């Protein structure tokens, strides 16, 4: 199916702690761009196209949140105007949980800079950050028990809310990918939710 639609200490156990860190001051300040519930978040594909359009130029898009710019500049240690996957992982995960490198690489691919396949520039970073904020809002909306994780049915509803009508059999295969073999119910954190969204 065509794709449409931040590493620090491990995520805190409580959902409230996660949410607090998510809204913390920079570099962990994830400023969300909430949309009305009747409007699904913009697709990742659309944001990816936007990043490619800007092509990693030296400046950020107009009205970019200063905290986003600061997060980018903090990890861009050589001041090249570009960051690699490890620097992106650090920038996005400086708040509340460590993003898996698989997810980081998927994000790098989706928001790739046409001038440098291994790094992204300010415009790609800004588009990626805003898109993650929209997906975070969706994740919180469908996390009914406020646990900081979502189960099979919450994942189904969240993806459907994003416009993905996935057959139950396909969703089950995708969901089972996160079975750790412990026998406990499978639950997905935000990192895994992002990965699922990009896979579908």
């Amino acid at each position: 199916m065509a794709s449409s639609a931040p590493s620090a200490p491990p995520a805190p156990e409580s959902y409230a702690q996660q949410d607090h860190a998510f809204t913390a001051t920079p570099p962990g300040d994830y400023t969300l761009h909430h949309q009305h519930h009747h409007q699904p978040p913009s697709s990742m594909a659309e944001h990816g196209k936007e990043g490619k359009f800007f092509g990693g130029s030296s400046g950020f898009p107009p009205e970019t949140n200063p905290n986003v710019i600061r997060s980018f500049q903090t990890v861009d240690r050589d001041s090249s105007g570009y960051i690699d996957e490890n620097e992106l992982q650090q920038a996005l995960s400086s708040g509340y949980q460590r993003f898996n490198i698989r997810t980081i690489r998927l994000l790098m691919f989706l928001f790739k800079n046409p001038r440098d396949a291994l790094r992204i520039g300010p415009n790609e970073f800004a588009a990626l950050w805003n898109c993650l904020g929209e997906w975070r809002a969706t994740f919180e909306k469908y996390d009914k028990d406020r646990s900081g994780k979502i189960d099979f049915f919450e994942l189904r509803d969240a993806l459907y809310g994003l416009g993905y009508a996935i057959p139950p059999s396909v969703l089950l295969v995708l969901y089972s990918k996160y079975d750790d073999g412990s026998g406990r119910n499978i639950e997905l954190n935000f990192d895994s939710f992002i990965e699922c969204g990009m896979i579908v």
Side-chain angles (χ1 to χ4, degrees):
M1 177 182 298
S3 174
S4 78
S7 253
E13 291 297 321
S14 71
Y15 186 85
Q17 286 176 306
Q18 289 184 352
D19 187 64
H20 175 74
F22 186 81
T23 56
T25 53
D29 181 11
Y30 268 63
T31 303
L32 296 182
H33 298 271
H34 289 285
Q35 298 185 349
H36 297 296
H37 287 172
H38 66 276
Q39 294 179 319
S42 301
S43 69
M44 282 197 165
E46 290 172 346
H47 281 291
K49 291 175 183 176
E50 179 184 353
K52 290 173 67 177
F53 174 80
F54 284 110
S57 60
S58 60
F60 281 84
E63 301 181 0
T64 299
N65 189 302
N67 295 324
V68 176
I69 299 174
R70 189 177 301 115
S71 293
F72 181 91
Q73 294 174 337
T74 297
V75 299
D76 180 22
R77 295 185 178 87
D78 61 359
S79 300
S80 66
Y82 296 90
I83 58 175
D84 60 23
E85 62 182 31
N86 294 318
E87 292 168 326
L88 176 62
Q89 185 182 46
Q90 181 182 352
L92 297 184
S93 305
S94 56
Y96 67 103
Q97 74 173 55
R98 185 176 184 82
F99 266 59
N100 191 296
I101 194 64
R102 294 194 314 268
T103 305
I104 293 297
R105 287 170 179 166
L106 285 169
L107 287 168
M108 288 284 292
F109 176 78
L110 185 61
F111 292 88
K112 61 186 176 183
N113 167 23
R115 299 180 182 178
D116 190 333
L118 300 178
R119 301 185 300 171
I120 62 173
N123 284 287
E124 291 84 20
F125 182 77
L128 185 157
W129 186 289
N130 290 339
C131 193
L132 284 179
E134 295 174 1
W135 277 61
R136 179 69 185 190
T138 298
F139 180 84
E140 292 179 349
K141 176 182 176 181
Y142 290 96
D143 177 19
K144 304 296 186 182
D145 58 1
R146 316 305 291 169
S147 66
K149 296 181 179 181
I150 57 176
D151 60 23
F152 177 84
F153 298 105
E154 291 170 331
L155 174 63
R156 178 200 62 189
D157 294 344
L159 292 176
Y160 184 80
L162 288 168
Y164 299 124
I166 305 173
S169 58
V170 176
L171 183 60
L172 186 59
V173 170
L174 178 63
Y175 188 70
S176 64
K177 176 181 183 294
Y178 299 94
D179 187 355
D180 59 7
S182 65
R184 295 175 297 184
N185 290 333
I186 306 173
E187 293 183 309
L188 277 60
N189 59 16
F190 181 57
D191 179 17
S192 298
F193 173 64
I194 290 294
E195 185 180 21
C196 279
M198 289 186 291
I199 289 174
V200 301

